[in-house]
């Protein structure tokens, strides 16, 4: 009878060990692998949005401006103060500033000062000059 209890305890211990192993693997996935996958996806999105004129930093901490991107060879040419260097696309660590996009918004002629009413009608109707400041009165 005592032997049967020992066998039952060993079998119950196996399930708890398996449960601990599954919990450990789940924690490892959520604490280590998932954030790394998110970071890789973010870097891939950044690389797909690179364009000429972007200011970038390479993995060796070299700062430059993108002059040319060759998708066929997976290379990028950086302008580093007049020196053109060719790097592998994977060498780009981060984009510090995006190239300005040419946005031409038409200026509306509808908003003129005559169309807007005066905010304070007392000041608008008054012919008296504004009060002098301390600096002006000291002169």
């Amino acid at each position: 009878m005592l032997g049967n209890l020992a066998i039952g305890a060993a079998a119950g211990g196996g399930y708890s060990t398996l449960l601990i192993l599954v919990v450990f693997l789940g924690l490892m996935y959520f604490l280590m692998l998932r954030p790394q996958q998110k970071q890789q996806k973010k870097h891939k999105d950044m690389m797909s949005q690179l364009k000429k004129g972007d200011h970038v930093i390479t993995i060796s901490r070299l700062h430059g401006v993108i002059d040319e991107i060759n998708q066929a060879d997976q290379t990028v040419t950086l302008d580093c103060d007049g020196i053109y260097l060719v790097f592998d696309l994977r060498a780009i660590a981060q984009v510090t500033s995006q190239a300005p996009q040419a946005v031409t918004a038409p200026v509306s002629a509808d908003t003129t000062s005559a169309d807007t009413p005066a905010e304070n009608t007392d000041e608008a109707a008054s012919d008296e000059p504004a009060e002098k400041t301390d600096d002006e009165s000291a002169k």
Side-chain angles (χ1 to χ4, degrees):
M1 177 144 178
L2 192 55
N4 289 338
L5 288 174
I7 292 172
Y15 290 121
S16 64
T17 304
L18 182 63
L19 181 65
I20 290 172
L21 183 63
V22 169
V23 169
F24 178 72
L25 290 175
L27 283 173
M28 189 170 71
Y29 173 76
F30 282 107
L31 294 177
M32 293 176 64
L33 298 177
R34 191 161 186 252
Q36 185 178 8
Q37 289 172 348
K38 283 185 177 182
Q39 184 179 11
Q40 286 174 349
K41 183 181 179 195
K42 183 179 173 184
H43 189 262
K44 184 178 179 181
D45 291 342
M46 179 196 66
M47 297 302 287
S48 67
Q49 295 175 357
L50 287 177
K51 58 189 172 296
K52 184 177 180 175
D54 285 349
H55 293 264
V56 296
I57 301 175
T58 65
I59 55 177
S60 61
R61 300 296 171 225
L62 180 72
H63 296 244
V65 179
I66 294 179
D67 184 60
E68 179 184 348
I69 299 174
N70 187 345
Q71 293 292 343
D73 294 337
Q74 293 291 307
T75 59
V76 61
T77 304
L78 297 182
D79 178 9
C80 303
D81 292 333
I83 300 171
Y84 293 90
L85 303 170
V86 178
F87 287 96
D88 202 34
L89 268 175
R90 293 177 296 202
I92 303 299
Q94 67 184 30
V95 177
T96 56
S97 65
Q98 298 288 328
Q101 296 183 2
V103 177
T104 56
V107 178
S108 176
D110 296 341
T111 58
T112 60
S113 60
D115 294 340
T116 58
E119 291 181 13
N120 190 349
T121 56
D122 293 337
E123 289 179 11
S126 175
D127 291 332
E128 297 176 3
E131 292 181 4
K132 293 183 179 180
T133 61
D134 292 336
D135 293 337
E136 291 174 354
S137 61
K139 290 180 181 179

